[in-house]
Short mmCIF file of all heavy atoms in Angstrom, two decimals:
data_model
loop_
_atom_site.label_atom_id
_atom_site.label_comp_id
_atom_site.label_asym_id
_atom_site.label_seq_id
_atom_site.Cartn_x
_atom_site.Cartn_y
_atom_site.Cartn_z
N ARG A 3 0.84 -1.16 0.05
CA ARG A 3 -0.01 0.00 0.02
C ARG A 3 0.85 1.22 0.00
O ARG A 3 2.08 1.16 0.33
CB ARG A 3 -0.87 0.02 1.28
CG ARG A 3 -1.90 -1.07 1.28
CD ARG A 3 -2.70 -1.06 2.61
NE ARG A 3 -3.68 -2.13 2.68
CZ ARG A 3 -4.14 -2.63 3.80
NH1 ARG A 3 -3.69 -2.18 4.98
NH2 ARG A 3 -5.05 -3.58 3.74
N PRO A 4 0.36 2.43 -0.27
CA PRO A 4 1.14 3.62 -0.24
C PRO A 4 1.74 3.92 1.15
O PRO A 4 1.20 3.47 2.16
CB PRO A 4 0.18 4.72 -0.63
CG PRO A 4 -0.97 4.04 -1.33
CD PRO A 4 -1.02 2.67 -0.70
N LEU A 5 2.82 4.71 1.19
CA LEU A 5 3.32 5.18 2.46
C LEU A 5 2.20 5.86 3.26
O LEU A 5 1.37 6.56 2.71
CB LEU A 5 4.47 6.19 2.27
CG LEU A 5 5.76 5.62 1.69
CD1 LEU A 5 6.75 6.75 1.44
CD2 LEU A 5 6.39 4.58 2.60
N GLY A 6 2.17 5.59 4.53
CA GLY A 6 1.12 6.10 5.42
C GLY A 6 -0.13 5.27 5.40
O GLY A 6 -1.09 5.58 6.16
N HIS A 7 -0.24 4.25 4.56
CA HIS A 7 -1.42 3.38 4.47
C HIS A 7 -1.07 1.95 4.70
O HIS A 7 -1.86 1.06 4.32
CB HIS A 7 -2.13 3.56 3.14
CG HIS A 7 -2.58 4.96 2.90
ND1 HIS A 7 -3.79 5.37 3.40
CD2 HIS A 7 -2.08 6.02 2.25
CE1 HIS A 7 -4.02 6.65 3.07
NE2 HIS A 7 -2.97 7.03 2.33
N GLY A 8 0.14 1.66 5.26
CA GLY A 8 0.43 0.28 5.58
C GLY A 8 1.61 -0.28 4.88
O GLY A 8 2.07 -1.37 5.17
N ARG A 9 2.18 0.39 3.84
CA ARG A 9 3.30 -0.13 3.10
C ARG A 9 3.18 -1.60 2.82
O ARG A 9 2.20 -2.06 2.26
CB ARG A 9 4.63 0.20 3.86
CG ARG A 9 5.03 1.63 3.71
CD ARG A 9 6.30 1.99 4.44
NE ARG A 9 7.35 1.04 4.38
CZ ARG A 9 8.21 0.76 5.41
NH1 ARG A 9 8.08 1.41 6.54
NH2 ARG A 9 9.17 -0.12 5.27
N GLY A 10 4.22 -2.36 3.13
CA GLY A 10 4.17 -3.86 2.96
C GLY A 10 3.34 -4.50 4.02
O GLY A 10 3.85 -5.02 4.99
N HIS A 11 2.00 -4.44 3.85
CA HIS A 11 1.08 -4.85 4.95
C HIS A 11 0.93 -6.34 5.05
O HIS A 11 0.36 -6.86 6.07
CB HIS A 11 -0.24 -4.15 4.79
CG HIS A 11 -1.06 -4.57 3.65
ND1 HIS A 11 -1.98 -5.57 3.70
CD2 HIS A 11 -1.04 -4.20 2.33
CE1 HIS A 11 -2.49 -5.76 2.48
NE2 HIS A 11 -1.94 -4.91 1.67
N ALA A 12 1.34 -7.10 4.06
CA ALA A 12 1.16 -8.60 4.09
C ALA A 12 2.03 -9.26 3.10
O ALA A 12 2.46 -8.65 2.07
CB ALA A 12 -0.28 -8.91 3.88
N VAL A 13 2.23 -10.53 3.23
CA VAL A 13 2.81 -11.44 2.24
C VAL A 13 1.75 -12.57 2.03
O VAL A 13 1.16 -13.05 2.94
CB VAL A 13 4.11 -12.06 2.75
CG1 VAL A 13 4.52 -13.26 1.94
CG2 VAL A 13 5.23 -10.99 2.71
N ALA A 14 1.56 -12.85 0.74
CA ALA A 14 0.59 -13.89 0.36
C ALA A 14 1.34 -15.07 -0.26
O ALA A 14 2.40 -14.87 -0.89
CB ALA A 14 -0.47 -13.33 -0.62
N ILE A 15 0.77 -16.18 -0.09
CA ILE A 15 1.30 -17.49 -0.71
C ILE A 15 0.19 -17.99 -1.52
O ILE A 15 -0.97 -18.12 -1.08
CB ILE A 15 1.80 -18.50 0.35
CG1 ILE A 15 2.97 -17.94 1.14
CG2 ILE A 15 2.19 -19.78 -0.33
CD1 ILE A 15 2.59 -17.25 2.40
N ALA A 16 0.49 -18.33 -2.82
CA ALA A 16 -0.54 -18.81 -3.72
C ALA A 16 0.06 -20.00 -4.53
O ALA A 16 1.27 -20.19 -4.58
CB ALA A 16 -0.95 -17.69 -4.67
N ARG A 17 -0.85 -20.68 -5.27
CA ARG A 17 -0.36 -21.74 -6.06
C ARG A 17 -1.18 -21.81 -7.39
O ARG A 17 -2.29 -21.33 -7.41
CB ARG A 17 -0.32 -23.10 -5.35
CG ARG A 17 -1.60 -23.93 -5.40
CD ARG A 17 -1.34 -25.31 -4.80
NE ARG A 17 -2.31 -25.54 -3.74
CZ ARG A 17 -2.04 -26.10 -2.57
NH1 ARG A 17 -0.81 -26.48 -2.30
NH2 ARG A 17 -2.94 -26.25 -1.68
N SER A 18 -0.56 -22.41 -8.41
CA SER A 18 -1.15 -22.41 -9.70
C SER A 18 -0.71 -23.70 -10.47
O SER A 18 0.35 -24.20 -10.27
CB SER A 18 -0.65 -21.17 -10.53
OG SER A 18 -1.05 -21.26 -11.87
N ARG A 19 -1.56 -24.13 -11.34
CA ARG A 19 -1.22 -25.29 -12.18
C ARG A 19 -0.61 -24.79 -13.51
O ARG A 19 0.19 -25.44 -14.12
CB ARG A 19 -2.43 -26.16 -12.54
CG ARG A 19 -2.98 -26.88 -11.32
CD ARG A 19 -3.90 -28.01 -11.68
NE ARG A 19 -4.37 -28.63 -10.54
CZ ARG A 19 -3.72 -29.51 -9.80
NH1 ARG A 19 -2.46 -29.80 -10.11
NH2 ARG A 19 -4.24 -30.08 -8.73
N ASP A 20 -0.99 -23.52 -13.91
CA ASP A 20 -0.56 -23.03 -15.20
C ASP A 20 0.36 -21.81 -15.16
O ASP A 20 0.79 -21.33 -16.19
CB ASP A 20 -1.75 -22.70 -16.09
CG ASP A 20 -2.68 -21.65 -15.54
OD1 ASP A 20 -2.30 -21.02 -14.53
OD2 ASP A 20 -3.76 -21.40 -16.08
N GLY A 21 0.62 -21.27 -13.98
CA GLY A 21 1.48 -20.12 -13.86
C GLY A 21 0.81 -18.80 -14.25
O GLY A 21 1.45 -17.76 -14.23
N VAL A 22 -0.49 -18.88 -14.49
CA VAL A 22 -1.26 -17.66 -14.83
C VAL A 22 -2.38 -17.42 -13.80
O VAL A 22 -2.51 -16.31 -13.35
CB VAL A 22 -1.88 -17.78 -16.25
CG1 VAL A 22 -2.75 -16.60 -16.58
CG2 VAL A 22 -0.76 -17.95 -17.30
N ARG A 23 -3.15 -18.41 -13.50
CA ARG A 23 -4.26 -18.30 -12.52
C ARG A 23 -3.79 -18.84 -11.21
O ARG A 23 -3.52 -20.02 -11.10
CB ARG A 23 -5.50 -19.02 -13.07
CG ARG A 23 -6.04 -18.37 -14.29
CD ARG A 23 -7.25 -19.17 -14.84
NE ARG A 23 -6.83 -20.50 -15.37
CZ ARG A 23 -6.29 -20.71 -16.55
NH1 ARG A 23 -6.13 -19.72 -17.39
NH2 ARG A 23 -6.00 -21.93 -16.93
N PHE A 24 -3.69 -18.00 -10.15
CA PHE A 24 -3.22 -18.38 -8.86
C PHE A 24 -4.35 -18.34 -7.83
O PHE A 24 -5.25 -17.50 -7.80
CB PHE A 24 -2.13 -17.38 -8.38
CG PHE A 24 -0.78 -17.66 -9.05
CD1 PHE A 24 -0.51 -17.16 -10.34
CD2 PHE A 24 0.13 -18.50 -8.45
CE1 PHE A 24 0.71 -17.39 -10.97
CE2 PHE A 24 1.35 -18.80 -9.10
CZ PHE A 24 1.63 -18.28 -10.32
N GLU A 25 -4.29 -19.38 -6.99
CA GLU A 25 -5.20 -19.53 -5.86
C GLU A 25 -4.46 -19.17 -4.58
O GLU A 25 -3.46 -19.72 -4.28
CB GLU A 25 -5.73 -20.96 -5.77
CG GLU A 25 -6.37 -21.32 -4.48
CD GLU A 25 -6.42 -22.82 -4.20
OE1 GLU A 25 -5.81 -23.61 -4.89
OE2 GLU A 25 -7.19 -23.21 -3.25
N THR A 26 -4.99 -18.11 -3.87
CA THR A 26 -4.32 -17.72 -2.60
C THR A 26 -4.55 -18.77 -1.54
O THR A 26 -5.65 -19.24 -1.28
CB THR A 26 -4.85 -16.38 -2.13
OG1 THR A 26 -4.69 -15.38 -3.15
CG2 THR A 26 -4.22 -15.95 -0.81
N LEU A 27 -3.43 -19.25 -0.97
CA LEU A 27 -3.49 -20.28 0.09
C LEU A 27 -3.52 -19.65 1.48
O LEU A 27 -4.15 -20.15 2.38
CB LEU A 27 -2.29 -21.17 -0.02
CG LEU A 27 -2.06 -21.91 -1.32
CD1 LEU A 27 -0.74 -22.62 -1.29
CD2 LEU A 27 -3.25 -22.87 -1.56
N LEU A 28 -2.78 -18.53 1.60
CA LEU A 28 -2.55 -17.99 2.91
C LEU A 28 -2.04 -16.52 2.74
O LEU A 28 -1.33 -16.21 1.81
CB LEU A 28 -1.43 -18.79 3.62
CG LEU A 28 -0.94 -18.36 4.97
CD1 LEU A 28 -2.01 -18.57 6.03
CD2 LEU A 28 0.30 -19.16 5.34
N THR A 29 -2.49 -15.69 3.67
CA THR A 29 -1.94 -14.31 3.74
C THR A 29 -1.41 -14.11 5.14
O THR A 29 -2.06 -14.40 6.12
CB THR A 29 -3.04 -13.28 3.43
OG1 THR A 29 -3.58 -13.54 2.09
CG2 THR A 29 -2.49 -11.88 3.45
N ILE A 30 -0.15 -13.59 5.21
CA ILE A 30 0.47 -13.35 6.51
C ILE A 30 0.54 -11.82 6.68
O ILE A 30 1.28 -11.15 5.99
CB ILE A 30 1.89 -13.95 6.58
CG1 ILE A 30 1.86 -15.46 6.33
CG2 ILE A 30 2.55 -13.56 7.90
CD1 ILE A 30 3.20 -16.11 6.10
N PRO A 31 -0.29 -11.27 7.55
CA PRO A 31 -0.27 -9.81 7.79
C PRO A 31 0.97 -9.37 8.56
O PRO A 31 1.51 -10.17 9.40
CB PRO A 31 -1.51 -9.55 8.65
CG PRO A 31 -2.33 -10.79 8.64
CD PRO A 31 -1.36 -11.87 8.32
N SER A 32 1.44 -8.15 8.33
CA SER A 32 2.66 -7.65 9.01
C SER A 32 2.47 -7.66 10.47
O SER A 32 3.42 -7.89 11.29
CB SER A 32 3.01 -6.29 8.52
OG SER A 32 1.88 -5.37 8.73
N GLU A 33 1.23 -7.46 11.00
CA GLU A 33 1.02 -7.42 12.44
C GLU A 33 1.35 -8.76 13.11
O GLU A 33 1.86 -8.86 14.18
CB GLU A 33 -0.49 -7.12 12.77
CG GLU A 33 -0.92 -5.69 12.34
CD GLU A 33 -1.35 -5.65 10.84
OE1 GLU A 33 -1.49 -6.72 10.19
OE2 GLU A 33 -1.46 -4.50 10.39
N GLU A 34 1.08 -9.91 12.37
CA GLU A 34 1.35 -11.22 12.92
C GLU A 34 2.86 -11.52 12.97
O GLU A 34 3.32 -12.43 13.64
CB GLU A 34 0.65 -12.30 12.14
CG GLU A 34 -0.86 -12.23 12.37
CD GLU A 34 -1.57 -13.38 11.72
OE1 GLU A 34 -0.96 -14.41 11.38
OE2 GLU A 34 -2.83 -13.21 11.48
N MET A 35 3.64 -10.71 12.23
CA MET A 35 5.10 -10.85 12.30
C MET A 35 5.76 -9.78 13.09
O MET A 35 6.96 -9.66 13.21
CB MET A 35 5.70 -10.79 10.86
CG MET A 35 5.23 -11.95 9.93
SD MET A 35 5.72 -13.56 10.54
CE MET A 35 7.46 -13.49 10.51
N ASP A 36 4.90 -8.98 13.84
CA ASP A 36 5.37 -7.84 14.62
C ASP A 36 6.31 -6.95 13.82
O ASP A 36 7.39 -6.63 14.22
CB ASP A 36 6.09 -8.29 15.91
CG ASP A 36 6.31 -7.17 16.89
OD1 ASP A 36 5.59 -6.14 16.85
OD2 ASP A 36 7.30 -7.27 17.73
N ALA A 37 5.88 -6.63 12.59
CA ALA A 37 6.66 -5.83 11.68
C ALA A 37 5.90 -4.62 11.24
O ALA A 37 4.65 -4.68 10.98
CB ALA A 37 7.05 -6.67 10.48
N GLU A 38 6.57 -3.49 11.03
CA GLU A 38 5.95 -2.28 10.51
C GLU A 38 5.62 -2.50 9.02
O GLU A 38 4.69 -1.99 8.50
CB GLU A 38 6.92 -1.14 10.69
CG GLU A 38 6.32 0.19 10.28
CD GLU A 38 7.23 1.36 10.57
OE1 GLU A 38 7.68 1.50 11.74
OE2 GLU A 38 7.54 2.15 9.67
N SER A 39 6.49 -3.31 8.35
CA SER A 39 6.33 -3.57 6.91
C SER A 39 6.99 -4.92 6.62
O SER A 39 7.99 -5.29 7.28
CB SER A 39 6.97 -2.45 6.06
OG SER A 39 6.76 -2.69 4.75
#
C-alpha cells in the first residue's frame, strides 16, 4: 500500500497449475510478524 497506508502490509502465498491463474492459500499480515512492513 502507499506510504502512510500500511506499506508492505502482508505477504501472500498462492499456487497455480498453469502459472497464470493463482489460488491464494494464505496471507500473513505484518501485524502477525510484529513488523511495520
Side-chain angles (χ1 to χ4, degrees):
R3 294 177 179 156
L5 290 175
H7 296 279
R9 283 180 39 218
H11 68 95
V13 164
I15 295 93
R17 89 171 125 222
S18 171
R19 293 197 180 284
D20 62 9
V22 175
R23 292 175 296 277
F24 283 85
E25 165 197 13
T26 301
L27 302 174
L28 176 70
T29 302
I30 301 170
S32 58
E33 296 83 12
E34 289 186 21
M35 295 301 296
D36 191 25
E38 186 175 307
S39 181

